[in-house]
Amino acid sequence: MIKRYILCFLVVNLILIMIFVGIQVVKLILFRYNFLWEFSADYKNYADDFNVVKNYIAAEFPDVTDKDLYISDSSDKRVGLFDPETNSRLILPDDVAASLNSIYENAFPSKDSVLDSINIHGKRISFRIFIGEYALVYSPDSKPTWVNRPSDVSECKVKVRSLGNGWYHVTKYRG
């Protein structure tokens, strides 16, 4: 009789342990998934600004295969775009400059996600952050498979979240 109680006690404890471990695993998975998107741009509230800058870049660089434009500060505390190939700042129309400034100041809410550069790769335009872990990508033809360079495909996995109309959150994933 006592053996039966001990066996029952052990089985109940084993079930409780399995339930507890299962809950902890689910929490860990959810935490890791949410952590993936911590650097994400606030596209929802700044979609108009992103589209203004994207449209300007698409019009100015229609046939570019791979080009980086870097965010730069000016003496009047407004951000601009620096082209390392020409070693000069681009002269931006007022509406584009205002949108770029709005994106830089407000659209990346995490303190660790600072807009660093914009990459043009064909029709794909990527708004990349300084640490290189995330990009807000406009890719009208296909779902993105890399964050910074096509060589990223062999270096790490990416997670992609579609925002519609060719826009995607793209983040590196090491899981």
Side-chain angles (χ1 to χ4, degrees):
M1 185 79 151
I2 292 179
K3 287 182 181 181
R4 192 178 268 171
Y5 287 118
I6 291 173
L7 182 60
C8 184
F9 176 77
L10 290 175
V11 169
V12 168
N13 278 330
L14 184 59
I15 291 171
L16 289 174
I17 289 171
M18 289 173 51
I19 290 171
F20 177 76
V21 169
I23 290 171
Q24 297 308 314
V25 167
V26 168
K27 283 182 182 178
L28 181 62
I29 290 169
L30 290 175
F31 174 77
R32 284 188 70 184
Y33 182 78
N34 287 332
F35 182 74
L36 280 175
W37 305 109
E38 80 167 316
F39 301 123
S40 296
D42 183 0
Y43 178 77
K44 181 180 174 185
N45 290 317
Y46 296 94
D48 291 341
D49 290 321
F50 281 109
N51 280 304
V52 165
V53 174
K54 182 258 306 172
N55 291 339
Y56 168 78
I57 289 173
E60 288 295 309
F61 304 98
D63 298 317
V64 173
T65 302
D66 192 21
K67 182 175 192 68
D68 290 318
L69 300 171
Y70 291 92
I71 306 302
S72 65
D73 292 329
S74 66
S75 58
D76 63 355
K77 302 293 183 207
R78 291 182 62 88
V79 296
L81 293 173
F82 178 78
D83 184 348
E85 291 176 13
T86 62
N87 198 28
S88 63
R89 273 176 66 107
L90 299 178
I91 310 280
L92 302 175
D94 289 342
D95 63 329
V96 176
S99 289
L100 182 63
N101 201 63
S102 176
I103 291 167
Y104 183 78
E105 294 292 329
N106 305 304
F108 289 85
S110 170
K111 67 178 178 59
D112 294 321
S113 62
V114 177
L115 180 63
D116 175 63
S117 62
I118 298 173
N119 174 266
I120 308 148
H121 194 86
K123 292 182 180 178
R124 175 189 161 125
I125 298 172
S126 305
F127 294 79
R128 302 182 311 196
I129 64 171
F130 178 70
I131 60 174
E133 296 291 314
Y134 165 84
L136 177 69
V137 176
Y138 175 73
S139 181
D141 298 332
S142 63
K143 181 179 172 182
T145 58
W146 45 273
V147 176
N148 297 307
R149 297 269 179 261
S151 61
D152 282 356
V153 172
S154 63
E155 294 174 12
C156 65
K157 299 175 186 175
V158 296
K159 291 287 186 181
V160 179
R161 186 185 283 175
S162 176
L163 301 168
N165 297 321
W167 286 97
Y168 300 88
H169 290 300
V170 184
T171 190
K172 289 183 180 178
Y173 176 65
R174 291 167 178 68

